[in-house]
Amino acid sequence: MFSLCFNRTAYESERKSSILTVGLSIHDCPVEIREKMAVPAEAWNEAVAELTALPHIEEAGILSTCNRMEVYVVALSYERGLREVEEWMVKHSGVDIDRLRENLFVLKDRESTAHLLRVSGGLDSVVMGEGQILAQVKTVFQMGEGVPAFGRHLTGLFKAAITAGKRVRSETSIASGAVSVSSAAAELVQMKLPTQSFEGVKVLIVGAGTMSKLLVKHLASKRCTEMTIVNRTRPRAEALAEEFPEVNMRIELMDQFLSLAGEHDVIFTASSAVEPIISKKDLASMSQCGELVGGKRRLVDIAVPRNVDADCGEDVNTLVYNVDDLKELAEINKGKREAAAKEAESLLLEEQRNFEAWRDSLETVPTIKRLRQKAENIRAAELDKALTKIGDGMSNKQKKAVEELSRGIINKLLHGPMAALRSDGSDPMEVTMTLVNMHALERMFDLRNVK
């Protein structure tokens, strides 16, 4: 019986390029480092263009959220590509290389693929199963469409991650009762309030984007029906108010923020500002909160970069929370989703195999080109020899017929080998057989140095 034996590790070591993930996440890196590394949407194209301008980076994509900043690249050389990404990160963030490496994680090829699929499936989130990360992965894919720096390999990887994320949420119960960063923040504050209730608590929200929308939704479900929304423009905030008619929503502009902050007990900040919007100095002029909240104002910063200056935590009448503090809530909820996570892992493994099979199938393309080129070189050389021997005794029509004959012979001879090198990547076993054929043909026809 024929036995198929294929050493994947040896094959991967021969592969010319590698997919690398170089990143910082909430699990291992503090927010003060992550915020310096953040890449806003408007700077995304420029950042990936800078990365692919580096000598050993072929493709690049960046996933930048409040919980993580991850650079995905296709690198010609693992070591040199990694060094170039690290140097770019230092230049981009201003964080020195030693501090950066203390917080950095690096993944390659299969580990890199598995990681993005887990991220998209919500298995790497602080709150397991949260849905916002899948939307953020989709956003990266959409930003990359038509961008030369976001090439074929990363397009395929992010497409696989989106498919995996959707399957995890539709085929397992991991998203049952799952919460976003916004709702986790609302739950954490409720847990920390003296009465463990938002009733009577004066709440202010800075920003009117997706995170603020989720905040309003979850605060309303916790019987918080009076809120103040502060935003740079009124239309977006008014649209938010229209979505929640059951909430008595006051809308103000950002220039009123500091005066309004002194009137509220709990302030959630989720704006896209790149610099802090409130500091310890601002808090000094604000009146102390009432007994309902234990005399302490809560500043809940779920933005990255942070909206709340780190020195606010020094104010004796203020309690400050940021996205890193959500780990406490995640530990409480961890056990609830472990069974669903095991189901999700098997789905992710299946999607990973499908992606790897597709990517492996791309590796035969250079071999196909080299085989056809070698055949064409031989055909052209032998045809020239024959025509030289015949001399001027043939008409142009006869010469054309002989040339077409030579092309026909070559095409028929190549049909079998070419078919053995083609795969749509849908069947991992078929791809494995294709790669075996590829290596055999490269040896038989000595294709490594064909140009």
Side-chain angles (χ1 to χ4, degrees):
M1 182 181 290
F2 175 75
S3 174
L4 177 64
C5 179
F6 178 69
N7 188 329
R8 178 172 289 279
T9 302
Y11 167 67
E12 287 178 347
S13 68
E14 291 179 12
R15 180 184 271 153
K16 193 173 181 181
S17 59
S18 296
I19 293 178
L20 301 185
T21 304
V22 186
L24 307 163
S25 83
I26 193 171
H27 304 299
D28 306 299
C29 178
V31 67
E32 56 265 26
I33 300 294
R34 299 200 312 276
E35 67 184 357
K36 291 177 181 177
M37 199 67 66
V39 176
E42 59 271 18
W44 194 88
N45 282 16
E46 182 183 353
V48 297
E50 287 175 356
L51 283 162
T52 52
L54 298 170
H56 297 91
I57 306 298
E58 294 181 305
E59 300 179 27
I62 298 170
L63 177 61
S64 183
T65 75
C66 61
N67 286 338
R68 66 186 70 250
M69 190 283 188
E70 298 174 353
V71 178
Y72 291 82
V73 299
V74 176
L76 286 169
S77 161
Y78 168 73
E79 291 82 7
R80 292 174 183 175
L82 173 58
R83 185 172 68 246
E84 289 171 0
V85 173
E86 287 179 335
E87 289 170 354
W88 177 85
M89 285 178 146
V90 169
K91 181 181 176 182
H92 171 74
S93 66
V95 177
D96 69 75
I97 189 65
D98 292 332
R99 185 80 192 278
L100 179 67
R101 284 174 175 165
E102 287 174 7
N103 298 279
L104 207 62
F105 69 86
V106 180
L107 303 170
K108 179 184 177 185
D109 288 328
R110 301 181 76 188
E111 289 181 348
S112 182
T113 301
H115 173 74
L116 182 58
L117 267 59
R118 292 186 87 254
V119 167
S120 187
L123 271 67
D124 195 63
S125 298
V126 174
V127 184
M128 190 179 291
E130 60 103 354
Q132 195 172 1
I133 185 62
L134 177 56
Q136 290 161 336
V137 171
K138 287 180 182 177
T139 298
V140 173
F141 179 78
Q142 290 162 357
M143 287 193 296
E145 287 185 300
V147 176
F150 196 78
R152 178 168 56 176
H153 290 266
L154 291 186
T155 295
L157 175 58
F158 274 77
K159 189 181 291 186
I162 293 167
T163 299
K166 288 178 179 177
R167 284 194 66 191
V168 166
R169 286 164 179 80
S170 64
E171 298 178 35
T172 76
S173 60
I174 199 167
S176 177
V179 289
S180 64
V181 169
S182 299
S183 58
E187 191 171 329
L188 179 68
V189 173
Q190 183 183 39
M191 188 170 67
K192 298 290 187 180
L193 286 170
T195 61
Q196 295 196 338
S197 170
F198 279 101
E199 288 190 69
V201 174
K202 298 174 183 176
V203 173
L204 183 148
I205 299 173
V206 181
T210 301
M211 297 184 83
S212 296
K213 178 180 175 180
L214 291 170
L215 264 173
V216 173
K217 175 184 175 181
H218 290 283
L219 286 169
S221 72
K222 296 178 184 299
R223 301 171 71 180
C224 177
T225 55
E226 296 209 10
M227 308 172 204
T228 300
I229 304 293
V230 176
N231 197 47
R232 285 179 298 172
T233 59
R234 294 190 71 88
R236 194 168 187 180
E238 288 169 349
L240 180 62
E242 288 175 9
E243 288 192 54
F244 299 93
E246 72 278 14
V247 176
N248 182 16
M249 202 177 292
R250 175 184 174 187
I251 296 172
E252 299 289 349
L253 296 177
M254 271 304 296
D255 58 2
Q256 297 296 311
F257 167 61
L258 289 176
S259 60
L260 288 168
E263 303 172 14
H264 291 79
D265 304 312
V266 177
I267 301 168
F268 292 94
T269 61
S271 85
S272 57
V274 295
E275 298 290 338
I277 60 175
I278 187 169
S279 66
K280 181 182 177 182
K281 181 178 67 175
D282 299 318
L283 295 171
S285 60
M286 296 180 188
S287 59
Q288 189 174 339
C289 293
E291 287 301 315
L292 191 62
V293 292
K296 291 183 181 290
R297 181 172 285 105
R298 270 78 171 166
L299 298 181
V300 190
D301 188 0
I302 56 174
V304 175
R306 287 175 292 179
N307 292 164
V308 177
D309 199 303
D311 67 3
C312 288
E314 299 170 6
D315 187 87
V316 294
N317 296 315
T318 305
L319 295 174
V320 178
Y321 305 105
N322 60 45
V323 288
D324 287 6
D325 295 304
L326 301 182
K327 292 178 183 178
E328 178 183 347
L329 189 64
E331 285 302 312
I332 296 171
N333 293 331
K334 187 177 179 181
K336 298 178 182 177
R337 296 186 177 87
E338 285 185 346
K342 289 181 181 178
E343 295 176 45
E345 291 284 7
S346 64
L347 290 177
L348 294 178
L349 183 58
E350 183 181 330
E351 291 300 327
Q352 182 179 359
R353 286 172 180 155
N354 290 340
F355 169 74
E356 288 173 351
W358 170 81
R359 186 174 179 231
D360 287 348
S361 70
L362 300 180
E363 297 299 317
T364 64
V365 173
T367 300
I368 290 172
K369 290 180 178 178
R370 287 195 295 266
L371 179 58
R372 184 167 287 284
Q373 185 61 52
K374 179 157 190 174
E376 174 59 21
N377 292 345
I378 293 171
R379 185 199 69 81
E382 293 303 314
L383 179 63
D384 283 346
K385 284 183 189 177
L387 293 177
T388 300
K389 288 179 181 178
I390 293 171
D392 297 328
M394 293 179 70
S395 66
N396 288 337
K397 185 176 181 181
Q398 289 171 325
K399 288 179 181 179
K400 184 177 179 182
V402 172
E403 183 168 359
E404 287 176 354
L405 172 67
S406 68
R407 291 187 189 280
I409 292 171
I410 289 296
N411 288 337
K412 282 182 169 56
L413 285 172
L414 288 181
H415 177 74
M418 289 297 183
L421 289 176
R422 289 195 175 96
S423 170
D424 63 7
S426 60
D427 182 348
M429 281 301 295
E430 180 185 303
V431 171
T432 300
M433 176 63 83
T434 300
L435 294 176
V436 170
N437 293 339
M438 179 186 80
H439 286 291
L441 286 166
E442 284 179 342
R443 289 193 300 272
M444 283 188 285
F445 290 94
D446 189 24
L447 298 178
R448 294 285 183 175
N449 299 314
V450 175
K451 296 180 180 179

